[in-house]
Amino acid sequence: MTMTRVWRPFLEGRDAERAWAVIHDIAEGLRPAAENLQPAANAGVAGGTAGLALFYAYLGAATDSEQWTGLAQRLIEYSIDALSERQYHPDFYEGFTGIGWAIDHLQGFLFEGSEDDDDPIGESLVQVLGRSVPFTRGEFDLIGGISGYGIYAFHALPRPAARRSLELLVQRLIEIGEPVDGGFSWFSPPEVLQDWDREEAPNGRFNLGVSHGVAAVISVLGMCAAAGVMSDSQRSILDRAVDWLLAQKQEGKTWCFANAVVEGMPSERDRLAWCYGDAGIAAALFTAARHRGNAQWEAAALDVARTGARRPMEDCRIFDAGLCHGSAGLGHLFNRMHQASGDPELAEAARAWYRHTLDLQRPGTGIAGYSFLFPPDWLPVTGFIPGVAGVGLGLLGGVSSLEPSWDQFLAVSVPLERPPSGPDATR
């Protein structure tokens, strides 16, 4: 008899006690920012009120606290009002698609969901993706490009506008991708790179990471395949994209993936993180594998994850506790992949990174004892992706029985169960 996987509290004993204490420190430390909202406060998810609402909503649900749930309600209402009063770009991390995702995601936590097909965010996406002006190379990424739209649309199904958005998204992603070395991928030309990136890659690069690279595109296309919006030829392109990504994997080293493929440059190890590095790439590929029902991709993802789990902590280039490129992000990623796979090696890594997150707290500094490195400065940061709200959410995923599905936003929400057997399940 097959057992159904459910999310289980991971940390126990003294680890759990310490984590709960830090979570409550964070809740109190964020309270001034959450209660004293300025008229022009950031309403987005990555660094604004919608992201803070996620933290307090999950905390309220995990503790059955009306205090925290009420604060989450106030924060998301601020984001809803801002969405109706201001002009927002469609970008997922700080634009209207992300705020729309957060509103949908918090239905059931904070308010009743709607069963009707009304979907103004999805209808706006249909217009954006259906525009006559073609998208260009480099407009694919998760944070500021069109891949992020797919996270909103996939989780807004079965609304008709969401489904149509996914159909258009697949077409647009394929249009701005390209065949390369027998596979398929997405290139970032120099004009879309930041100055420091352009110095390292003056002719552009194939970014391999989740935040701005092809790993997230593969995860999103896996969702599109699960939604049934891809033709056979489009699914074949996804298969070729995974083949190309796996062909970049380094063998016989303590790490698997560089942060990018740059013509004429050797591959070099990068940090171990969500944004770049083996942990994020493994989780994104694992997510695509589960949605696509592909056992070979899943095995490859777990191999990459185990390599990351074995990497010495002092070699991982982790300096702070954030979700993006810090220890809470790694604790969460390894916990997510462990809970989906049962792999004990990933459990060990998750425990180590959670403990490191707790050890990084410095009471009396920053917010709730946490500051974040923005070279050359250490700054107190509230937000979900770059700051202390994300640390709180990451730790909550380690001590609560509530599945931390907020990681949909990171394109790494690996389904806990394999899909029913299908044509891809044994590939």
Side-chain angles (χ1 to χ4, degrees):
M1 180 177 177
T2 302
M3 297 291 291
T4 300
R5 288 188 181 276
V6 296
W7 192 267
R8 301 183 184 280
F10 177 75
L11 296 175
E12 300 175 332
R14 178 61 178 155
D15 290 333
E17 292 174 7
R18 291 180 68 201
W20 274 116
V22 169
I23 290 164
H24 285 291
D25 286 347
I26 290 172
E28 292 294 343
L30 282 173
R31 190 196 288 267
E35 291 182 338
N36 303 308
L37 294 174
Q38 301 303 309
N42 180 347
V45 178
T49 54
L52 298 184
L54 289 173
F55 168 66
Y56 281 114
Y58 272 84
L59 179 58
T63 60
D64 198 26
S65 167
E66 293 184 3
Q67 173 188 205
W68 304 131
T69 299
L71 194 48
Q73 182 80 46
R74 182 170 181 269
L75 287 160
I76 200 63
E77 286 176 355
Y78 180 92
S79 294
I80 292 170
D81 290 343
L83 197 59
S84 64
E85 295 167 359
R86 307 178 198 168
Q87 286 290 111
Y88 276 91
H89 49 68
D91 297 356
F92 190 52
Y93 269 54
E94 293 293 3
F96 68 73
T97 53
I99 297 173
W101 169 85
I103 294 166
D104 277 1
H105 189 73
L106 293 177
Q107 290 182 5
F109 284 87
L110 304 178
F111 38 80
E112 294 296 324
S114 173
E115 297 297 326
D116 62 36
D117 291 335
D118 185 39
D119 184 8
I121 301 291
E123 291 165 3
S124 295
L125 276 186
V126 169
Q127 293 182 0
V128 170
L129 291 166
R131 72 187 196 188
S132 57
V133 179
F135 290 89
T136 60
R137 297 166 88 200
E139 291 190 89
F140 60 82
D141 78 70
L142 180 71
I143 287 181
I146 65 174
S147 289
Y149 307 165
I151 304 290
Y152 168 81
F154 179 73
H155 295 286
L157 291 171
R159 298 172 189 159
R163 184 174 185 84
R164 180 57 182 155
S165 294
L166 288 179
E167 292 171 344
L168 288 168
L169 177 66
V170 172
Q171 295 174 29
R172 299 297 172 252
L173 283 172
I174 290 174
E175 287 170 0
I176 62 176
E178 56 198 80
V180 54
D181 297 334
F184 196 89
S185 195
W186 289 266
F187 185 74
S188 299
E191 58 268 22
V192 305
L193 300 180
Q194 296 183 22
D195 290 342
W196 65 270
D197 276 333
R198 199 177 300 115
E199 289 178 6
E200 296 179 358
N203 297 317
R205 55 196 247 162
F206 287 97
N207 187 316
L208 301 182
V210 180
S211 56
H212 296 289
V214 301
V217 183
I218 285 170
S219 177
V220 169
L221 287 177
M223 297 175 206
C224 293
V229 300
M230 297 178 75
S231 66
D232 288 346
S233 62
Q234 290 170 335
R235 286 193 296 272
S236 176
I237 287 176
L238 169 57
D239 295 349
R240 290 168 58 198
V242 173
D243 289 345
W244 180 86
L245 176 65
L246 291 176
Q248 312 315 309
K249 181 173 176 283
Q250 305 296 302
E251 302 294 343
K253 298 180 178 179
T254 60
W255 54 279
C256 294
F257 289 99
N259 66 22
V261 175
V262 181
E263 185 177 5
M265 296 285 289
S267 293
E268 297 181 355
R269 85 187 194 289
D270 197 23
R271 61 164 65 109
L272 182 70
W274 164 75
C275 53
Y276 289 102
D278 293 345
I281 292 172
L285 179 58
F286 197 172
T287 302
R290 281 281 164 96
H291 283 299
R292 184 82 162 92
N294 191 305
Q296 288 187 358
W297 296 358
E298 182 171 328
L302 288 172
D303 180 65
V304 174
R306 292 186 197 104
T307 299
R310 296 172 194 141
R311 187 167 166 180
M313 190 174 285
E314 61 272 16
D315 185 50
C316 292
R317 303 183 184 181
I318 299 301
F319 304 106
D320 62 36
L323 280 183
C324 179
H325 46 265
S327 57
L330 288 174
H332 176 73
L333 289 174
F334 284 121
N335 186 20
R336 166 62 77 175
M337 291 187 283
H338 160 67
Q339 300 233 18
S341 67
D343 190 293
E345 198 167 359
L346 304 184
E348 183 178 347
R351 191 171 292 108
W353 284 109
Y354 279 133
R355 287 173 176 166
H356 189 62
T357 301
L358 299 172
D359 290 342
L360 285 174
Q361 188 187 35
R362 301 288 183 267
T365 67
I367 300 172
Y370 288 97
S371 298
F372 301 86
L373 181 60
F374 289 79
D377 299 315
W378 287 84
L379 303 174
V381 182
T382 59
F384 168 40
I385 297 300
V388 74
V391 177
L393 278 167
L395 290 172
L396 266 173
V399 295
S400 170
S401 60
L402 184 66
E403 183 176 357
S405 298
W406 50 262
D407 60 4
Q408 295 167 5
F409 193 76
L410 306 178
V412 294
S413 195
V414 183
L416 296 180
E417 294 285 339
R418 291 187 178 91
S421 297
D424 287 333
T426 58
R427 291 188 64 238

